[in-house]
Amino acid sequence: MLITSLLVFHRKFCLMAVSCDDITDDAEFRSRRQTWEKAKFRLRTLEGHGDIVTCAVAVDNLVISGSRDTTVKVWHVPTATEQRNLGGHSGGVTCLSAPPPEYCRRLARVFDLADKERFVLSGSTDCCVRIWALSSGQCIKSIYTFNAVSSLCFLPEGEGFIVTGSDAGKLQVWSWSSLENCQSENAHLDAVTTLQSQGPLVFSGSVEGSVCVWEVSGQRTEPLRRLHVWGPEVTGCGGDDGVNGRLILSPRGDRVFLTCGKASIRILNWRTGMMTRLTNHSSTAGVTDCVNQIPGLLVGSCFDITNGESTINLFSLPQCKYLVTLTSSDLPRILCFAAWLTASGDHRWVTGGRNLTVWEQLPGSFKKRGDVTVRRDSRLVDCLLESDRDSEDEQNEVDDDEDSIPQDTSETEEPASSSWLRCVLQ
C-alpha cells in the first residue's frame, strides 16, 4: 500500500514538474516574441561589389564579404565604409571562414606578425584557398586544391584544420600549422555546398541532397572519420532530375537544420535519421536560401518567387516556434547571412545577394521608425513541426483546406533554386 502511494505521488510530482516547465517555456517565448515585435532596424547598403555576394563573415567590427566578381572585401561596419579590397582570386569567391583568435595567434607567430592579427580564409572556383591577414590585406599563403572550392570551414580541434569541399564532391583536410594535405575523401556525388563544424564534428552537405557527419579522430593524418551518411531519400533535399538547390546546413546538438531551395526548413536528427519539417513560407512559392542560428534564435531567409518579396523569419530555439517576420521594401533576395552582437547586446546582421546590407538594431528608446517592417504571419503561427512521414501520408489524401501546413512542390521551386546554384559555382 505504501509503495503504491509513493508511486502515485511520484507520478503526480513529475506531471507537476513538466507542467511548470511548460509554463516557464511559454512565458519565455511570449517575452521573446513581444521583444521582437517591437524591434527596430536601420539598413545600410555596402556598395562596392560588381556581382552577386555569395558569402559573408563577421570579425569584431568588420564584415568580410566574397563575391562572384572574384574579390574579397573588408568593411568597417560602424562607418559603413570599405576598408580593404582583397584581390587575388581569378575565379568567383564561393566561401569564407574566420578562424578563432587563439588559432590566429599561432599562425601569426609563424609569419612573425602581431599576436592580435586576425585571418580570414577564402575559397574560389579558381581551385585556391587563400589566407588573408586583415590588418594589411596581404595574402600570406595560398593552397591549391586541384578542384574548384565550393565550401570550406575551420575545425578548431587539436592543432586546427582547414576542411574544403569541391564542386566534384571531394572533401579535403589541410593542417593549419603546415598547410599540408592530411586527407582526401570522395564524400559526395556532387558539389559540396556547405561545411560546418560543431565541437569535434564536421557536417557536410551536397547538391544531390546527402548529408555526412564526420568525427575528428585525433590523428594527424586522416583526422576525419565518417560517422553517418544520410542520402536524399532521407533528407528530402534531392531532385528526380538531378538539378537541385544549394543545400545549406546549420547544426545544433543532435539536430541539423537544412535548406535546399524549398519552402520549408528540414530538420535532421543526424543520429537516428528522423526528419521533420518547419514551415518557412505560407505557400509553396517560397524559396529558403539560407538558415543560420543566433543565441536563442533560428533564422531562415525566404524569397517569394511570385511577388519578389524577400523576408527573414525568426523562430525561438530550442522549440522552433515562429516569432516574427522581418522585411523591407525593395529588399533583395538573401543568399547569405552573418550575425553578431554589439557590446550593448543589440543585434547586427549582414545579408548578401544582389546587395550587401547591414542590419543594425536600434535601441528601444529610439523614437523614429526603423527601415524594417516587423509582422506576424498568421499562416505561420499555428504551423508546428511535422515529420516527413506524416507529410507523405497527407499528400495521398485529397485535402483542399487552404489553412493546412504547406507542402513542398519541387516543380514550383526548381527554377529559382537551380539558378542560385549556377550563380554560385559558375
Side-chain angles (χ1 to χ4, degrees), residues 67-301:
S67 170
R68 200 174 62 174
D69 66 7
T70 77
T71 66
V72 175
K73 291 184 181 289
V74 181
W75 311 84
H76 185 246
V77 175
T79 58
T81 57
E82 180 181 329
Q83 191 174 73
R84 298 192 184 279
N85 180 36
L86 311 182
H89 285 293
S90 59
V93 179
T94 57
C95 45
L96 295 167
S97 182
E102 59 269 26
Y103 286 91
C104 290
R105 284 193 291 270
R106 297 181 191 180
L107 192 64
R109 296 187 188 104
V110 173
F111 290 95
D112 197 26
L113 298 173
D115 280 350
K116 293 183 179 180
E117 183 64 77
R118 296 299 301 270
F119 300 97
V120 67
L121 314 174
S122 61
S124 168
T125 57
D126 64 6
C127 306
C128 284
V129 172
R130 293 184 177 270
I131 304 177
W132 307 89
L134 291 181
S135 64
S136 64
Q138 178 186 4
C139 176
I140 64 168
K141 199 71 177 180
S142 179
I143 303 172
Y144 189 74
T145 68
F146 297 94
N147 299 277
V149 180
S150 52
S151 59
L152 67 80
C153 74
F154 186 84
L155 181 57
E157 289 291 322
E159 64 179 21
F161 299 95
I162 303 169
V163 186
T164 61
S166 81
D167 65 345
K170 181 180 288 186
L171 203 70
Q172 294 179 285
V173 185
W174 312 82
S175 168
W176 177 239
S177 57
S178 66
L179 301 181
E180 296 177 351
N181 182 246
C182 304
Q183 186 175 2
S184 294
E185 297 280 349
N186 292 319
H188 296 275
L189 300 177
D190 211 328
V192 183
T193 55
T194 180
L195 281 167
Q196 295 288 335
S197 65
Q198 177 185 263
L201 299 174
V202 173
F203 298 82
S204 62
S206 173
V207 168
E208 88 271 6
S210 66
V211 172
C212 288
V213 185
W214 309 79
E215 181 183 35
V216 181
S217 65
Q219 302 294 324
R220 187 179 181 86
T221 59
E222 298 192 355
L224 295 185
R225 180 174 64 89
R226 184 156 25 199
L227 289 179
H228 295 282
V229 181
W230 301 109
E233 69 280 357
V234 173
T235 66
C237 293
D240 295 334
D241 55 7
V243 182
N244 312 296
R246 180 177 183 249
L247 191 149
I248 297 296
L249 62 79
S250 180
R252 177 186 173 87
D254 291 347
R255 297 186 294 179
V256 183
F257 300 101
L258 307 171
T259 67
C260 53
K262 297 185 179 181
S264 62
I265 296 173
R266 309 297 175 103
I267 306 175
L268 167 67
N269 185 310
W270 62 266
R271 295 185 186 274
T272 65
M274 180 177 293
M275 288 295 304
T276 52
R277 297 193 302 169
L278 180 64
T279 299
N280 192 46
H281 197 271
S282 53
S283 78
T284 55
V287 179
T288 304
D289 287 307
C290 61
V291 63
N292 212 310
Q293 296 178 64
I294 308 171
L297 292 175
L298 178 68
V299 182
S301 74

Side-chain angles (χ1 to χ4, degrees), residues 390-400:
D390 292 340
S391 301
E392 292 171 1
D393 293 341
E394 290 175 3
Q395 287 175 354
N396 293 330
E397 300 176 359
V398 178
D399 186 358
D400 295 328

Side-chain angles (χ1 to χ4, degrees), residues 1-16:
M1 187 68 179
L2 178 60
I3 294 176
T4 302
S5 300
L6 288 173
L7 288 174
V8 171
F9 174 78
H10 176 72
R11 184 179 303 167
K12 290 182 178 180
F13 178 80
C14 291
L15 290 173
M16 290 175 60

